[in-house]
């Protein structure tokens, strides 16, 4: 039994006329009759009383019609909902983003986008990079705005821009007199870092490995402002990107001489997975806006 059979049955049940039903369904009358007979065979009872050329829905047929109408209604409603979601002019975009991407780009892009597309809505998930990719792989979001992280997931990466990552020291630190340093110059310093699962943590790990250093990590923060505030307070030094909102902290950014330390920021989707039209439209809007 399938939905097509149910549709055939319900049409015949409402019209109680095989010829008229076959014309409405655009199939031949013999094919419709065979479909109804197969359905009755699966159920194990006749659904119609046949008197000459006339058919009438019987007691079994009325019960079956009553029970199956909600099924086809739910199916049609679900199909319509999905079609609405796929429409490029209405629906919902499910977006995952990291804290830094939310403050740097996402909130502004959504506001500008909805000014032109008021019928498109958004739902958001904010997590660190690694957890966002897990959410993406599980279908909880259509796309993620996040720095690039090492992952075994089958993702599609679209870079938007790169930003330098600096060593950040307290304003009164001896190294604050410099503009750039080698990684080994902070080998003995206590390190304030971001927690595992963040792209910045992966960059830091690679930088210290490049210099042959085992970092003395004294604190792991949830986000960049926590790291910056602990560095400002003199608890250690850290690695942070050049975020404008960090300008208010009494810290000094130092470029790294011996390692290309930068974050790649962009949009992540899953390879070989259907992407709703509204999500594609939002991605295109971001790209066009940044190009300007």
């Amino acid at each position: 039994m399938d939905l097509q059979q149910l549709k055939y049955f319900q049409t015949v049940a409402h019209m109680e006329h095989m010829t008229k039903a076959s014309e409405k369904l655009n199939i031949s009358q013999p094919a419709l009759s065979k479909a109804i007979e197969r359905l009755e065979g699966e159920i194990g009872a006749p659904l119609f009383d046949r008197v000459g050329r006339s058919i009438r829905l019987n007691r079994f047929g009325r019960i079956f019609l009553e029970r199956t109408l909600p099924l086809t209604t739910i199916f049609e409603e679900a199909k319509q909902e999905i079609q609405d979601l796929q429409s490029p002019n209405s629906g919902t975009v499910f977006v995952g983003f990291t804290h830094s991407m939310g403050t740097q780009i996402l909130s502004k892009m959504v506001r500008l986008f909805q000014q032109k597309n008021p019928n498109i809505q958004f739902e958001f998930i904010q997590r660190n990079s690694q957890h966002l990719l897990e959410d993406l792989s599980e279908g909880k979001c259509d796309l993620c705005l996040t720095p690039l992280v090492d992952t075994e997931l089958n993702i599609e990466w679209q870079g938007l821009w790169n930003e330098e990552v600096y060593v950040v020291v307290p304003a009164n630190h001896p190294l604050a007199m410099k503009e750039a340093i080698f990684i080994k110059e902070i080998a003995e310093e206590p390190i304030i870092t971001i927690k595992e699962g963040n792209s910045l943590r992966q960059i830091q790990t690679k930088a210290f490995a490049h210099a042959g250093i085992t970092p003395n990590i004294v604190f792991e923060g949830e986000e960049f402002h926590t790291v910056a505030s602990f560095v400002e307070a003199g608890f250690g030094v850290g690695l942070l990107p050049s975020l404008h909102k960090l300008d208010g902290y009494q810290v000094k950014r130092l470029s790294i001489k011996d390692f290309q330390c930068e974050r790649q920021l962009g949009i992540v989707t899953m390879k070989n997975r259907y992407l709703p039209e509204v999500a594609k439209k939002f991605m295109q809007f971001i790209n066009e806006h940044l190009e300007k």
Side-chain angles (χ1 to χ4, degrees):
M1 185 189 305
D2 55 34
L3 285 168
Q4 187 177 54
Q5 284 181 298
L6 290 179
K7 184 178 181 181
Y8 288 170
F9 161 73
Q10 290 169 1
T11 302
V12 174
H14 287 304
M15 303 188 77
E16 292 192 327
H17 197 288
M18 196 67 73
T19 301
K20 291 180 179 178
S22 65
E23 290 173 353
K24 183 175 182 178
L25 293 167
N26 197 29
I27 64 170
S28 68
Q29 182 176 330
L32 180 58
S33 296
K34 288 182 180 179
I36 297 298
E37 290 173 3
R38 285 196 298 270
L39 181 60
E40 290 175 323
E42 290 183 42
I43 294 171
L47 301 174
F48 298 91
D49 291 331
R50 294 165 175 83
V51 182
R53 294 184 179 181
S54 300
I55 59 172
R56 293 289 184 271
L57 197 65
N58 62 23
R59 179 167 60 92
F60 303 120
R62 286 192 294 273
I63 293 172
F64 191 69
L65 179 63
E66 181 182 355
R67 298 300 189 190
T68 58
L69 277 175
L71 297 177
T72 51
T73 300
I74 290 171
F75 172 77
E76 292 299 328
E77 289 176 350
K79 184 172 70 172
Q80 184 62 53
E81 183 177 351
I82 291 172
Q83 288 174 347
D84 291 342
L85 289 172
Q86 291 177 327
S87 169
N89 299 313
S90 64
T92 303
V93 186
F94 295 83
V95 182
F97 66 99
T98 60
H99 176 81
S100 62
M101 293 293 277
T103 56
Q104 286 182 281
I105 182 175
L106 180 60
S107 56
K108 179 182 180 181
M109 290 296 100
V110 170
R111 177 175 56 81
L112 294 175
F113 182 79
Q114 287 191 315
Q115 288 175 358
K116 297 183 178 181
N117 303 275
N119 294 324
I120 296 179
Q121 305 301 315
F122 287 82
E123 289 196 17
F124 303 105
I125 299 175
Q126 181 182 348
R127 304 243 276 167
N128 66 32
S129 305
Q130 201 66 55
H131 287 142
L132 280 179
L133 295 186
E134 293 171 4
D135 290 337
L136 181 66
S137 70
E138 294 172 5
K140 295 179 181 179
C141 45
D142 300 318
L143 57 93
C144 292
L145 291 169
T146 175
L148 182 62
V149 294
D150 295 333
T151 179
E152 295 181 357
L153 295 174
N154 192 25
I155 64 170
E156 190 82 40
W157 168 258
Q158 179 185 327
L160 296 176
W161 74 88
N162 293 355
E163 60 184 15
E164 186 175 357
V165 174
Y166 300 86
V167 170
V168 180
V169 301
N172 59 355
H173 194 280
L175 292 175
M177 302 297 294
K178 300 185 176 183
E179 297 299 323
I181 63 171
F182 294 98
I183 286 288
K184 64 181 180 181
E185 294 182 61
I186 59 171
E188 303 301 323
E189 297 282 347
I191 303 297
I192 311 297
T193 186
I194 205 78
K195 287 187 174 181
E196 294 282 359
N198 190 290
S199 64
L200 187 64
R201 183 63 177 266
Q202 290 187 356
I203 293 169
Q204 174 189 287
T205 299
K206 291 177 181 178
F208 284 125
H210 173 79
I213 296 170
T214 300
N216 174 28
I217 296 174
V218 296
F219 179 75
E220 298 176 319
E222 292 281 355
E223 42 86 25
F224 297 160
H225 292 281
T226 303
V227 174
S229 65
F230 271 64
V231 171
E232 179 185 48
F235 290 102
V237 304
L239 272 71
L240 289 172
S242 180
L243 300 178
H244 293 304
K245 289 191 176 183
L246 295 180
D247 290 342
Y249 292 98
Q250 298 300 307
V251 297
K252 176 68 180 295
R253 297 184 180 91
L254 309 173
S255 294
I256 299 172
K257 294 181 179 180
D258 55 331
F259 185 76
Q260 186 177 5
C261 216
E262 63 180 16
R263 294 200 309 164
Q264 301 177 55
L265 298 105
I267 303 174
V268 183
T269 55
M270 294 300 297
K271 283 185 179 179
N272 305 319
R273 177 187 291 173
Y274 177 76
L275 188 65
E277 291 299 319
V278 287
K280 292 179 183 177
K281 188 169 186 175
F282 182 54
M283 288 178 61
Q284 182 180 358
F285 178 84
I286 293 175
N287 285 315
E288 290 174 353
H289 185 83
L290 292 179
E291 286 176 1
K292 294 178 183 179

